[in-house]
Amino acid sequence: MRGITLLLAGAVLSSCAAAPQPGRSAQAESHFQQLLAGKVAGRSAACLPSYRARDMVVIDDQTIAFRDGGRRVWVTNLSNSCNNLGSGHYALVTRNFSSNLCRGDIAEVADLSTGMTVGSCVLGDFTPYERTPG
């Protein structure tokens, strides 16, 4: 009986495992590389002040960048995919309880034509990429 319980537990756990995410498309990768060209990654931060998050660029369903002037770009990788976010027909909606976007905040994906929520994802750390002086 104990063997059956362990087998069932293993089957349940294996069914909950996340499926591997598809790779970034060539077009998305090219856009991402252009955005980061000439910039070097800095130390990641848990939060990004909302005034720095005004110019959002969707790279793909798992990667979002925020332009902070011409010298810096902040990149966050979502802990799970925000399906179809990169298609252009959806918007990312966040509800801030402070003046920051932070790791662990839940963002919803809304259909632009209906306003309905069609999914959600969780923000990761924010990594700054800065243009080096010179």
Side-chain angles (χ1 to χ4, degrees):
M1 185 70 165
R2 182 180 173 138
I4 293 172
T5 304
L6 290 176
L7 180 62
L8 288 175
V12 169
L13 289 176
S14 66
S15 69
C16 293
Q21 296 297 325
R24 185 176 290 145
S25 72
Q27 182 180 5
E29 182 63 29
S30 174
H31 185 206
F32 188 56
Q33 293 305 321
Q34 288 174 354
L35 193 62
L36 300 183
K39 296 178 178 75
V40 177
R43 187 181 347 192
S44 294
C47 293
L48 179 66
S50 59
Y51 68 87
R52 294 192 186 276
R54 292 190 180 151
D55 188 7
M56 183 177 86
V57 178
V58 175
I59 303 301
D60 57 28
D61 290 349
Q62 288 191 282
T63 312
I64 301 170
F66 298 93
R67 287 190 204 125
D68 183 8
R71 294 186 54 86
R72 184 180 304 131
V73 173
W74 295 86
V75 175
T76 185
N77 293 303
L78 307 170
S79 66
N80 57 327
S81 178
C82 269
N83 292 336
N84 297 316
L85 182 61
S87 73
H89 301 289
Y90 298 94
L92 192 67
V93 179
T94 59
R95 289 181 176 82
N96 298 21
F97 299 102
S98 70
S99 60
N100 298 322
L101 291 175
C102 292
R103 174 186 57 228
D105 284 354
I106 297 171
E108 295 178 339
V109 179
D111 185 310
L112 290 172
S113 61
T114 66
M116 292 180 59
T117 300
V118 295
S120 63
C121 49
V122 179
L123 300 176
D125 284 329
F126 296 87
T127 304
Y129 288 82
E130 285 193 74
R131 195 171 306 283
T132 56

